[in-house]
């Protein structure tokens, strides 16, 4: 059986969806439903955590959807740990997407602070899903520290460039004993399918869906691409060859 288990919970959808950049919360809600996702990320700084009727939360909360608060905006491990504690109290979940990117221009995750925060947060009982650069060594260290997944980027956040880190992602997927979620930079459904064909356990998509002229339709396209990519991976892709190989007999019809 093809199961994806994170933090003791089984997920049937392998498409995780972010909630930033949508032009309205209603469009976001429709995209979430169309995607079939069971994991939705939300930046803590965009939520009024003292208001259970916060408009974004009302539109995100769907049946069977795991809320995944993220720490976007924190600059180091100390800030991340504080944000995590506030998140658990506000949202009632131990699930946490750990993001530490102090550079506002490129938003690249800080590997040293991410590992430090992961080690501390795991000991505090959090289900930590760290967003990291596509670094195979770091991903193994995070796994050893108790991370529930690793979430290497395909390309910088919001660039829609696709699998720029493909060679490194292949190594991470090969070596990992925890789920690998390809996060950031996937700009088209074909990118999601390609990531799943590599053997990724899931993908996380935000910008490509949110900025589409039709986010609901794009979310559905990503859903279908993710399913197709996973199915292709499990079926087994054919080997590539340098030379042509006929699939039909080459003998003449008249011979």
């Amino acid at each position: 059986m093809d199961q994806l288990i994170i933090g003791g919970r089984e997920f049937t959808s392998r498409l995780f969806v972010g909630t930033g950049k949508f032009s309205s919360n209603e469009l976001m809600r429709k995209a979430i439903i169309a995607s079939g996702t069971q994991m939705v990320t939300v930046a803590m700084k965009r939520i009024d955590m003292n208001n259970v009727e916060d408009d974004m939360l009302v539109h995100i909360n769907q049946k069977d959807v795991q809320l995944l608060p993220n720490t976007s905006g924190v600059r180091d491990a100390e800030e991340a740990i504080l944000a995590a504690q506030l998140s658990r109290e506000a949202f009632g979940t131990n699930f946490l997407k750990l993001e530490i990117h102090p550079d506002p221009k490129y938003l690249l995750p800080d590997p040293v602070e991410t590992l430090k925060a992961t080690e501390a947060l795991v000991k505090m009982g959090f289900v930590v899903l760290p967003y990291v650069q596509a670094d195979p060594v770091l991903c193994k260290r995070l796994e050893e520290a108790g991370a529930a997944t690793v979430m290497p980027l395909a390309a910088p956040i919001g660039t829609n460039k696709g699998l720029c880190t493909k060679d490194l992602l292949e190594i991470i997927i090969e070596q990992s004993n925890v789920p690998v979620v390809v996060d950031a930079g996937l700009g088209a459904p074909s990118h999601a399918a390609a990531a799943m064909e590599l053997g990724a356990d899931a993908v996380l998509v935000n910008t490509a869906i949110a900025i589409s002229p039709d986010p609901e339709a794009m979310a559905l396209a990503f859903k279908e691409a993710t399913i197709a990519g996973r199915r292709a991976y499990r079926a087994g892709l054919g080997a590539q060859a340098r030379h042509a190989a006929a699939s039909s007999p080459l003998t003449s019809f008249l011979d």
Side-chain angles (χ1 to χ4, degrees):
M1 188 173 180
D2 191 24
Q3 295 179 311
L4 172 60
I5 299 176
I6 299 173
R9 174 172 176 178
E10 181 180 347
F11 296 87
T12 55
S13 170
R14 292 174 181 269
L15 172 61
F16 303 161
V17 176
T19 53
K21 302 183 181 180
F22 285 92
S23 60
S24 74
N25 287 340
E26 180 58 21
L27 272 177
M28 176 191 69
R29 183 188 70 83
K30 290 180 178 179
I32 289 172
I33 294 172
S35 73
T37 187
Q38 294 172 305
M39 182 90 83
V40 173
T41 69
V42 59
M44 293 171 54
K45 61 186 179 182
R46 299 180 63 229
I47 297 289
D48 179 358
M49 293 188 289
N50 295 316
N51 179 12
V52 294
E53 296 299 322
D54 178 272
D55 188 61
M56 175 170 277
L57 277 181
V58 168
H59 284 80
I60 291 173
N61 286 330
Q62 305 291 330
K63 184 180 179 181
D64 297 328
V65 169
Q66 172 67 53
L67 190 65
L68 181 63
N70 72 50
T71 62
S72 176
V74 306
R75 295 164 295 181
D76 55 33
E78 184 178 356
E79 290 185 1
I81 292 167
L82 175 59
Q85 292 171 318
L86 293 172
S87 167
R88 179 158 61 183
E89 182 177 345
F91 299 124
T93 179
N94 287 328
F95 275 73
L96 183 78
K97 183 184 178 188
L98 177 62
E99 293 188 40
I100 304 177
H101 36 70
D103 177 5
K105 183 176 181 180
Y106 295 108
L107 299 177
L108 294 173
D110 184 318
V112 175
E113 295 297 309
T114 299
L115 179 58
K116 187 189 302 184
T118 298
E119 291 171 339
L121 290 167
V122 168
K123 292 176 181 177
M124 296 168 65
F126 284 93
V127 178
V128 184
L129 289 74
Y131 165 64
V132 293
Q133 298 186 46
D135 180 341
V137 176
L138 174 61
C139 286
K140 287 305 292 184
R141 292 289 301 275
L142 289 165
E143 177 185 318
E144 292 164 0
T149 72
V150 290
M151 302 182 73
L153 56 79
I157 291 174
T159 61
N160 288 344
K161 288 185 175 181
L163 298 181
C164 295
T165 61
K166 179 181 176 182
D167 290 345
L168 295 171
L169 291 173
E170 288 180 321
I171 297 171
I172 292 168
I173 291 167
E174 176 190 358
Q175 294 183 344
S176 185
N177 295 310
V178 296
V180 177
V181 182
V182 175
D183 180 15
L186 301 180
S190 57
H191 298 159
M196 299 304 293
E197 288 170 2
L198 290 180
D201 294 280
V203 294
L204 194 154
V205 182
N206 185 177
T207 300
I209 294 174
I211 68 173
S212 168
D214 190 342
E216 186 176 4
M218 185 59 73
L220 177 59
F222 269 98
K223 173 185 177 180
E224 293 170 340
T226 302
I227 292 171
R230 180 66 181 181
R231 187 169 292 153
Y233 170 73
R234 286 180 56 79
L237 300 176
Q240 295 184 359
R242 292 185 61 191
H243 304 288
S247 56
S248 300
L250 295 178
T251 54
S252 170
F253 286 110
L254 299 179
D255 288 346

